[in-house]
């Protein structure tokens, strides 16, 4: 994964990390969670699921802090559901920074977050690369006809489906697609992966465009995860900041 640079020069920033490494970070203090987040976290029956939830919500604060040049303790995170209008779940936002948008995602053992400035849109999704399989019904609901034909020609159709699924989930979070009509969003014109891989390394980053949106795709071998970020601005992929630096900024 690329090393971190001055994220303030980027209009959008994304961070992907393991759940354990986020929770072990000195800046990732569970006391930063709001009362609503703590209640939701306590409802998980499996501790691993609770840890993923907590890590994602803390990473969203860390990621936003990178762009805003503040520590995560200075980032208030809230959520509001666009369907029911209730707070506490749904699309995340920063009440004290309305021009900064944020998105987060988690899968077993891996969390991801992205943020953008200037009132732009951003969405991120992450899935384990080993996730299998998708049945015919899911394929038909999630893919356009062009995508079904495109994926059917691949050596590993399930892997290629997962790449498009992660992209589409990120599109939903960015407000570009509807979860109930994923088959209407045709991404068949986008590359499914890099044409070349140096040294057989399964870790790669690919940048592309869909209409006016910037799309960053990541396959992270270390974490065993696929990630997609969709943003109205170019995305800078950062690493989890060092504990010493994060502690200093808090």
């Amino acid at each position: 994964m690329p090393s971190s640079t001055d994220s303030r020069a980027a209009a959008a920033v994304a961070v992907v990390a393991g759940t354990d490494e986020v929770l072990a970070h000195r800046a990732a203090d569970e006391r930063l969670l709001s009362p609503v987040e703590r209640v939701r976290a306590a409802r998980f029956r499996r501790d691993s699921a609770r840890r993923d939830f907590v890590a994602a919500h803390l990473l969203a604060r860390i990621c936003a802090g990178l762009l805003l040049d503040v520590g995560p303790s200075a980032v208030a995170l809230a959520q509001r559901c666009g369907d029911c209008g209730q707070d506490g779940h749904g699309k995340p936002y920063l009440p004290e920074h309305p021009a900064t948008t944020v998105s987060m995602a988690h899968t077993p053992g891996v969390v991801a977050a992205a943020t953008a400035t200037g009132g732009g849109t951003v969405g991120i999704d992450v899935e384990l690369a080993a996730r299998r399989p998708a049945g015919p019904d899911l394929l038909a609901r999630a893919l356009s006809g062009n995508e079904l034909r495109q994926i059917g020609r691949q050596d590993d159709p399930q892997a290629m489906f997962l790449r498009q699924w992660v992209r589409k989930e990120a599109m939903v979070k960015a407000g570009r697609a509807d979860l109930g009509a994923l088959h209407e969003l045709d991404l068949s014109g986008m590359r499914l992966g890099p044409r070349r891989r140096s040294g057989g390394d399964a870790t790669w980053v690919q940048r592309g465009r869909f209409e006016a949106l910037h799309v960053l795709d990541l396959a992270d071998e270390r974490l065993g995860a696929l990630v997609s970020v969709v943003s109205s601005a170019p995305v800078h992929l950062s690493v989890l900041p060092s504990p010493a630096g994060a502690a200093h900024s808090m």
Side-chain angles (χ1 to χ4, degrees), residues 28-186:
D29 190 334
E30 286 198 35
R31 290 174 294 183
L32 297 179
L33 298 181
S34 69
V36 172
E37 289 173 308
R38 295 176 194 175
V39 169
R40 290 183 64 195
R43 290 174 180 165
F44 286 96
R45 294 184 177 181
R46 292 185 293 109
D47 185 61
S48 60
R50 185 195 71 82
R51 288 168 59 83
D52 291 333
F53 173 90
V54 171
H57 284 243
L58 292 175
L59 185 61
R61 289 170 166 85
I62 293 172
C63 185
L66 288 174
L67 202 57
L68 296 169
D69 196 24
V70 298
S73 61
V75 178
L77 181 69
Q79 290 179 262
R80 180 170 297 145
C81 179
D83 293 328
C84 70
Q86 297 295 313
D87 293 330
H89 66 282
K91 186 176 179 62
Y93 68 101
L94 307 178
E96 298 174 1
H97 302 278
T100 301
T101 50
V102 64
S103 181
M104 58 188 171
H106 58 83
T107 195
V110 185
V111 292
T115 185
T117 57
T121 186
V122 69
I124 191 168
D125 192 52
V126 58
E127 293 284 355
L128 294 180
R131 174 182 168 180
R132 299 288 196 280
D137 290 344
L138 178 57
L139 291 172
R141 291 198 308 270
L143 300 178
S144 69
N146 287 336
E147 290 169 331
L148 284 169
R149 288 186 288 272
Q150 178 189 49
I151 286 176
R153 295 191 295 266
Q154 306 300 314
D155 293 336
D156 188 349
Q158 289 289 331
M160 294 302 99
F161 164 76
L162 189 59
R163 166 51 64 199
Q164 293 293 51
W165 175 264
V166 172
R167 281 176 176 167
K168 292 195 175 190
E169 284 280 320
M171 292 277 182
V172 170
K173 294 181 179 182
R176 174 56 185 81
D178 185 273
L179 190 60
L182 290 181
H183 65 284
E184 297 179 3
L185 178 65
D186 186 4

Side-chain angles (χ1 to χ4, degrees), residues 186-236:
D186 186 4
L187 303 181
S188 61
M190 300 186 66
R191 288 167 54 195
L192 290 173
R195 293 187 177 91
R196 297 180 181 177
R197 294 181 182 176
S198 59
D201 188 357
T203 295
W204 52 265
V205 175
Q206 175 178 277
R207 299 177 185 273
R209 296 291 295 270
F210 179 75
E211 298 176 348
L213 296 171
H214 296 262
V215 181
L216 183 148
D217 295 320
L218 166 69
D220 192 309
E221 183 181 34
R222 180 181 70 89
L223 297 172
L226 297 180
V227 181
S228 282
V229 189
V230 175
S231 174
S232 53
V235 181
H236 168 74

